[in-house]
């Protein structure tokens, strides 16, 4: 009896398996123009990731310059220019969320630029009392630096209302300069870590590793979709606490999420990866295309400044729709992983 | 008429026999005891850099959801809070989140911010005003215990850390007075399974007086609880925690300065513990039938690595298991969860809860082959000193001296098999 169940189980397992192998074999045998995994990875590194990193380096330099002008001549026009520069750099950074693997995590660049929530207590103390210099800046924790530290000062996290240029204290202006310098340094460090023949980009696209690298790309997209659903939106929806919303001070949560999802589309569309998936399973490729596009639409449909709308039923519905979309899309993308490895 | 019938019967019988043989063979490869399924039914197939972050396979939808909720807590960065000094993070701490050290649930680098330093006076007593762990960071307005720098001393192609401590000159933290033990965060794999191995099964491997005379003893780390009760230590490089909840509570308190119930409610402690309990371990890259696996595994046995790195363990069955799938699993962690004397080379002079400086818990080896993919440049062993698996083996001394010596005499081809096998775990 035990033996019988043993091989009947084997047959039960084996039959559908060999059938499905045969079927997928037929589907896989079409299309000739799909790019190779190697080409996909190469394009990803050279045409998506590295240009994004170069842009971030330029935009954080522009933020530095704007903050320098603001601190030399604190006019509202200069304050506005600094905020615009922050938003531009922020968008580029958030676009990169789908490829935040590698040195961004293992060398700590992500934490240094984008740790969150803001260490309000230390920031208030540091900016309120003594003059901040490079030593005391260095002693601050990561949560008192980076994008969100700068955001907190530019958008009035301390008082709850965006300041005028005249209301910025000398301490705050000094802090902004140091924090923008640091942000730029981190952006440059991240760029360097991917560059050159020994860099992470070269290692990722080294011959013989393409299958693993493509999996890595897909996993990056999946991780972003899950984090967007579980943490960025799921937490605030559950707790109704605006403090759990990233980029709430600038009211930029919606733009962050939109950039996240657009970045995922870049990984799929600008590299040939989606073509590669289509060549293995045309229907799945089509679904991934449609559903990621829909995620972009739903992110666009979120209200600006979600933080003011956490109790509004329509906004909550919009958040929930996007969460479901992100989770559903993650599941679809997960299905493509075995096809392209 | 009779003949074709008999012929048919023969064919059927032959097919039956083939199916039985195949079925048995496949059972061996696919069944519960397949070493490729490192965590049994909790094995994760994902072998990307996100491998260690995947929830275990085999969780029910409700368990998976709970795991995801726990993940948010595990990832959460803590900050100091308004109110009483010390509310929230700090005042002194090592890092602000679990993931800061357990980077992608893998290893921390031997750098401050991802690792920590344990200390003791040379006579084993805690260091006055500092205790047993150096918290090298502090919130604004507070002072860290000490500033820590790690330098490396290179000899014969191997390196060892030299930990420097700088604090108030009134404290004597000199090398002469204070021993220090650098600890990197270990990868978090299959912990729920390790927690559920019955005590008796672990004690079966113990041989504290080396009765069998193989030079390898293996000692359970009994921890004295208040009230005289003894519990078996399982977690940490020296097995100083009896359970994942103890380990988590200690991390919250010592590593992040979060006090309970002030900063962390019990519910949250239980939940974040659940996260580590419901992580899987990756499926190995190669099947048990591949030549690299067969030969590598054979060498692992003949070299007597497997005496300490016990390949296979099994969980018991408990109605209290936090996830049903943990029960009744056979899995492949390559550890005995026991302490071993590893010799002078790995002795850093810091005793913990009765485990002297030279004794370390056999490190589990599952997931070893993904170390680089998950964490980039990694270091092995408790302080991250080994830059490669080979270096890690060369540091083995004490009870593992014979195993190391056998390793160094392997022919190049055999060495490649052994390392190739380790690299696909």
């Amino acid at each position: 009896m035990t033996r019988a169940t043993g091989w009947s189980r084997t047959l039960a397992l084996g039959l559908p398996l060999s059938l499905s192998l045969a079927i997928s074999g037929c589907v896989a045998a079409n299309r000739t123009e799909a790019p190779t995994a190697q080409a996909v990875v190469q394009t990803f590194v050279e045409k998506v990731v590295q240009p994004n990193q170069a842009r971030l380096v330029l935009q954080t330099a522009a933020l530095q310059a704007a903050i320098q002008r603001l601190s030399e001549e604190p006019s509202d026009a200069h304050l506005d220019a600094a905020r615009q520069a922050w938003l531009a750099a922020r968008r580029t950074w958030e676009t990169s969320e789908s490829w935040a693997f590698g040195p961004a995590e293992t060398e700590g660049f992500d934490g240094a630029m984008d740790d969150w929530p803001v260490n309000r207590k230390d920031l208030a103390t540091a900016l309120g009392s003594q003059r901040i210099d490079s030593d005391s800046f260095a002693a601050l924790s990561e949560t008192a630096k980076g994008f969100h530290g700068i955001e907190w000062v530019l958008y009035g996290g301390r008082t709850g209302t965006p300041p005028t240029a005249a209301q910025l204290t000398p301490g705050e202006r000094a802090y902004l300069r140091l924090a923008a310098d640091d942000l730029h340094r981190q952006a440059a460090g991240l760029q360097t870590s991917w560059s050159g023949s020994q860099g992470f980009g070269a290692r990722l696209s080294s011959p013989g590793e393409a299958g693993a690298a493509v999996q890595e790309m897909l996993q990056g997209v999946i991780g972003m979709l899950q984090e967007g659903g579980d943490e960025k939106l799921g937490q605030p929806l559950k707790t109704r606490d605006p403090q759990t919303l990233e980029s709430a001070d600038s009211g930029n949560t919606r733009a962050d999420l939109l950039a996240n999802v657009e970045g995922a589309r870049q990984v799929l569309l600008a590299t040939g990866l989606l073509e590669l998936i289509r060549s293995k399973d045309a229907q799945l490729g089509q679904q991934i295309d449609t559903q990621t596009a829909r995620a972009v639409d739903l992110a666009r449909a979120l209200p600006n400044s979600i933080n003011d709308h956490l109790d509004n039923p329509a906004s909550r519905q919009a958040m929930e729709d996007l969460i479901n979309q992100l989770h559903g899309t993650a599941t679809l993308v997960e299905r493509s992983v075995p096809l392209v490895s | 008429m009779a003949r074709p019938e008999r012929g048919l019967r023969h064919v059927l019988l032959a097919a039956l026999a083939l199916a039985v043989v195949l079925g048995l063979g496949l059972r061996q490869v696919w069944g519960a005891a397949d070493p490729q399924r490192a965590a049994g039914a909790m094995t994760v197939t994902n072998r990307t850099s996100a491998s260690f972050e995947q929830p275990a396979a085999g969780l029910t939808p409700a368990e998976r959801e709970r795991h995801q909720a726990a993940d948010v807590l595990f990832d959460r960065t803590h900050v100091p809070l308004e109110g009483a000094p010390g509310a929230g993070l700090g005042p002194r701490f090592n890092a602000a989140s679990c993931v800061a050290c357990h980077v992608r649930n893998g290893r921390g680098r031997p750098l401050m911010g991802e690792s920590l330093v344990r200390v003791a006076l040379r006579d084993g007593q805690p260091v006055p005003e500092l205790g047993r762990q150096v918290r090298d960071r502090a919130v604004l307005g507070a002072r860290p215990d000490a500033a820590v720098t790690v330098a490396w001393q290179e000899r014969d192609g191997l390196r060892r850390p030299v930990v420097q401590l700088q604090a108030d000159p009134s404290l004597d933290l000199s090398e002469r007075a204070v021993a220090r033990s650098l600890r990197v965060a270990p990868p978090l794999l299959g912990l729920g399974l390790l927690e559920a191995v019955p005590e008796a099964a672990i004690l079966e491997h113990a041989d504290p007086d080396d009765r069998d005379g193989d030079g390898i003893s293996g000692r359970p780390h009994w921890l004295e609880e208040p009230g005289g009760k003894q519990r078996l230590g399982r977690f940490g490089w020296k097995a100083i925690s009896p359970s994942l909840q103890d380990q988590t509570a200690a991390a919250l308190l010592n590593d992040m300065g979060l006090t309970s119930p002030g900063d962390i409610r019990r519910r949250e402690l239980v939940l974040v513990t659940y996260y580590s309990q419901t992580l899987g371990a990756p499926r190995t890259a190669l099947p048990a039938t591949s030549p690299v696996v067969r030969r590598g595994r054979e060498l692992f046995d003949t070299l007597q690595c497997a005496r300490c790195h016990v390949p296979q363990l099994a969980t018991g069955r408990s109605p209290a298991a936090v996830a049903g799938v943990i029960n009744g699993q056979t899995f492949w962690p390559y550890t005995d969860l026991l302490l071993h004397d590893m010799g002078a080379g790995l002795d850093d002079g810091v005793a913990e809860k009765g485990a002297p400086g030279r004794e370390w818990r056999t490190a589990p080896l599952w997931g070893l082959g993904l170390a680089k993919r998950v964490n980039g440049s990694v270091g092995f062993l408790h302080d991250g000193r080994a830059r490669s698996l080979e270096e890690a083996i060369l540091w083995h001394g004490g009870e593992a001296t014979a195993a190391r010596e056998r390793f160094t005499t392997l022919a190049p081809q055999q060495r490649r098999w052994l390392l190739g096998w380790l690299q696909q775990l």
Side-chain angles (χ1 to χ4, degrees):
Chain A
M1 244 357 254
T2 31
R3 204 171 285 173
T5 46
W7 52 263
S8 61
R9 195 196 304 151
T10 306
L11 286 180
L13 271 174
L15 203 61
L17 190 76
S18 47
L19 263 178
S20 68
L21 280 177
I23 292 166
S24 64
C26 300
V27 178
N30 58 14
R31 292 230 183 201
T32 46
E33 73 284 17
T36 61
Q38 180 65 35
V40 167
V41 176
Q42 197 100 17
T43 314
F44 170 66
V45 172
E46 290 168 9
K47 299 281 157 54
V48 175
V49 177
Q50 288 178 335
N52 169 276
Q53 291 171 340
R55 203 174 317 122
L56 187 66
V57 170
L58 290 177
Q59 286 172 326
T60 50
L63 176 62
Q64 266 181 308
I67 280 175
Q68 187 63 34
R69 276 192 297 277
L70 170 66
S71 94
E72 281 162 7
E73 194 198 323
S75 69
D76 287 340
H78 284 159
L79 175 55
D80 189 52
R83 288 178 181 147
Q84 293 306 321
W86 185 88
L87 289 170
R90 181 76 189 158
R91 175 158 184 211
T92 300
W93 168 250
E94 286 296 303
T95 307
S96 76
E97 194 93 1
S98 286
W99 51 92
F101 54 81
E105 292 251 24
T106 59
E107 312 285 315
F109 294 112
D110 192 342
M113 285 192 269
D114 198 18
D115 210 351
W116 187 82
V118 180
N119 186 342
R120 296 154 193 271
K121 190 178 182 186
D122 283 2
L123 258 184
T125 314
L127 299 181
S129 54
Q130 75 269 46
R131 253 191 78 77
I132 189 151
D133 57 19
S134 51
D135 284 341
S136 50
F137 179 83
L140 288 174
S141 68
E142 279 187 349
T143 43
K145 299 175 183 173
F147 273 110
H148 295 302
I150 297 173
E151 176 193 22
W152 195 77
V153 175
L154 284 181
Y155 289 90
R158 183 160 51 94
T159 55
T161 32
T164 62
Q167 286 167 332
L168 287 175
T169 66
E172 287 174 327
R173 299 202 303 262
Y175 166 83
L176 284 174
R177 284 197 306 273
L178 291 161
D181 291 351
D182 186 48
L183 188 71
H184 176 65
R185 213 171 19 252
Q186 301 294 342
L190 178 59
Q191 182 187 36
T192 306
S193 72
W194 275 70
S195 317
S197 59
Q198 299 301 309
F200 186 77
R203 269 180 282 145
L204 194 69
S205 51
S206 62
E209 294 289 312
V214 168
Q215 281 188 46
E216 213 50 70
M217 291 168 62
L218 288 170
Q219 185 60 49
V221 169
I222 294 164
M224 183 284 294
L225 293 168
Q226 286 169 341
E227 189 191 325
D230 291 336
E231 298 193 22
K232 292 190 178 180
L233 282 168
Q235 282 301 302
L237 191 69
K238 195 157 76 187
T239 61
R240 295 180 190 250
D241 176 2
Q243 308 263 359
T244 59
L245 271 173
E246 200 172 342
S247 302
D249 289 327
S250 58
N252 207 51
T253 312
R254 170 182 173 273
D256 278 5
L257 280 158
L258 188 55
N260 292 164
V261 189
E262 283 173 343
R265 292 273 292 170
Q266 286 182 25
V267 174
L268 293 161
L269 295 172
T271 63
L273 179 50
L274 192 64
E275 276 311 298
L276 185 62
I277 297 171
R278 277 187 210 275
S279 74
K280 313 281 181 187
D281 183 337
Q283 197 194 349
L284 181 62
Q286 183 56 45
Q287 280 176 310
I288 291 176
D289 190 10
T290 316
Q291 296 308 319
T292 48
R294 183 163 157 71
V296 171
D297 290 342
L298 288 177
R300 211 172 259 133
L302 289 174
N304 272 318
S305 305
I306 305 178
N307 35 313
D308 299 331
H309 297 81
L310 280 180
D311 285 320
N312 174 328
S315 308
R316 293 181 66 80
Q317 189 60 52
M319 289 169 77
E320 211 166 315
D321 289 346
L322 180 54
I323 292 174
N324 290 337
Q325 184 66 24
L326 294 175
H327 283 155
T329 311
T331 311
L332 274 182
V333 179
E334 260 168 3
R335 277 177 44 204
S336 74
V337 174
L339 298 180
V340 294
S341 340
Chain B
M1 266 332 274
R3 275 171 93 180
E5 210 172 63
R6 196 185 308 149
L8 190 66
R9 201 181 311 143
H10 277 162
V11 170
L12 272 176
L13 271 177
L16 206 70
L18 189 71
V20 169
V21 169
L22 265 178
L24 287 177
L26 284 174
R27 261 168 81 87
Q28 242 171 33
V29 178
W30 283 354
D34 174 9
Q36 193 173 19
R37 287 161 39 97
M42 295 177 90
T43 304
V44 165
T45 51
N46 184 326
R47 282 184 67 89
T48 69
S49 66
S51 173
F52 300 175
E53 296 164 324
Q54 304 304 309
L59 300 179
T60 65
E63 288 165 350
R64 216 181 137 98
E65 197 166 307
R66 186 163 157 76
H67 175 93
Q68 243 106 40
D71 189 3
V72 174
L73 284 185
F74 187 84
D75 286 353
R76 179 158 109 204
T77 302
H78 293 269
V79 292
L81 298 177
E82 301 297 338
L89 179 73
R92 288 185 290 261
F93 62 97
N94 291 109
S97 66
C98 308
V99 268
C101 296
H102 297 281
V103 180
R104 308 208 72 183
N105 292 354
R107 279 160 216 268
R109 290 175 294 174
L111 302 173
M112 288 305 106
E114 292 180 19
S115 296
L116 51 87
V117 173
R118 297 260 165 76
V119 287
L121 292 180
R122 289 288 168 187
D123 64 5
Q125 292 301 307
V127 179
E129 303 198 28
L130 199 154
R132 299 203 177 264
Q133 181 166 323
V134 183
R135 283 148 312 167
D136 63 303
R137 306 197 167 184
V139 300
L140 207 62
R143 278 157 57 114
D145 290 325
V148 177
T149 46
V150 178
W152 296 94
Q153 202 174 55
E154 184 95 30
R155 231 177 79 192
D156 302 329
L158 297 175
R159 63 168 195 178
R160 71 164 82 222
V162 181
V163 176
Q164 268 132 12
L165 304 175
Q166 264 188 329
D168 194 312
S170 68
L171 285 178
D172 180 7
L173 297 182
S174 67
E175 188 94 45
R176 200 168 25 83
V178 175
R180 55 283 319 260
S181 180
L182 177 63
R183 302 289 171 83
V184 300
L188 302 182
L189 292 170
L191 294 163
L193 293 169
L194 292 174
E195 189 173 45
V197 177
E199 213 164 89
I202 296 171
L203 300 181
E204 238 168 58
H205 296 286
D207 181 18
D209 307 316
D210 192 19
R211 293 246 170 80
D212 63 6
D214 64 354
I216 295 177
S217 47
R219 183 172 84 73
H221 194 177
W222 290 113
L223 304 160
E224 283 290 341
E225 297 278 297
K229 211 180 124 209
Q230 291 209 315
R231 289 170 78 194
L232 180 63
R234 296 178 193 233
F235 300 106
W237 292 102
K238 274 180 146 50
I240 61 167
S241 289
S243 74
L244 291 167
Q245 186 163 317
D246 285 277
Q247 177 71 40
T248 304
L252 290 165
L253 181 65
N254 301 327
D255 305 356
M256 306 201 272
L258 297 167
T259 45
S260 181
D263 300 320
I264 290 284
R265 279 161 300 168
R266 198 183 148 75
R267 197 189 65 78
E268 291 170 308
L269 167 62
V270 172
L271 189 58
V272 71
T273 303
Y274 187 79
Y275 179 69
S276 62
Q277 287 167 325
T278 46
L279 290 166
R283 186 173 68 179
T284 68
L286 299 174
T289 49
S290 93
V292 172
V293 172
R294 271 189 292 121
R295 299 202 174 108
R297 190 38 228 287
E298 204 176 292
L299 286 165
F300 193 70
D301 285 342
T302 29
L303 267 50
Q304 297 198 348
C305 311
R307 287 291 169 95
C308 301
H309 296 283
V310 169
Q312 196 190 72
L313 293 175
T315 59
R317 286 186 188 275
S318 160
V322 294
V325 65
I326 293 175
N327 281 329
Q329 291 298 324
T330 298
F331 61 104
W332 304 79
Y334 304 96
T335 177
D336 56 7
L337 295 173
L338 298 172
L339 293 176
H340 295 272
D341 179 336
M342 294 297 284
L346 289 173
D347 183 0
D348 54 25
V350 174
E352 277 185 284
K353 303 196 179 177
R358 346 167 25 111
E359 285 190 11
W360 300 95
R361 178 194 72 164
T362 307
L365 301 182
W366 48 10
L368 212 55
L370 286 173
K372 221 177 147 78
R373 182 167 293 159
V374 173
N375 291 113
S377 58
V378 287
F380 299 101
L381 301 175
H382 64 272
D383 52 15
R385 67 174 69 188
R387 291 157 293 192
S388 65
L389 295 178
E390 233 158 332
E391 284 191 17
I393 299 167
L394 293 176
W395 276 109
H396 282 52
E399 297 171 31
T401 305
R404 181 200 66 225
E405 281 169 355
R406 288 187 203 105
F407 172 77
T408 55
T409 58
L410 288 181
Q413 179 59 54
Q414 289 176 311
R415 194 181 271 231
R416 276 197 293 275
W417 284 332
L418 181 68
L419 294 172
W421 174 70
L422 289 169
Q423 292 289 9
Q424 61 83 51
L425 287 178

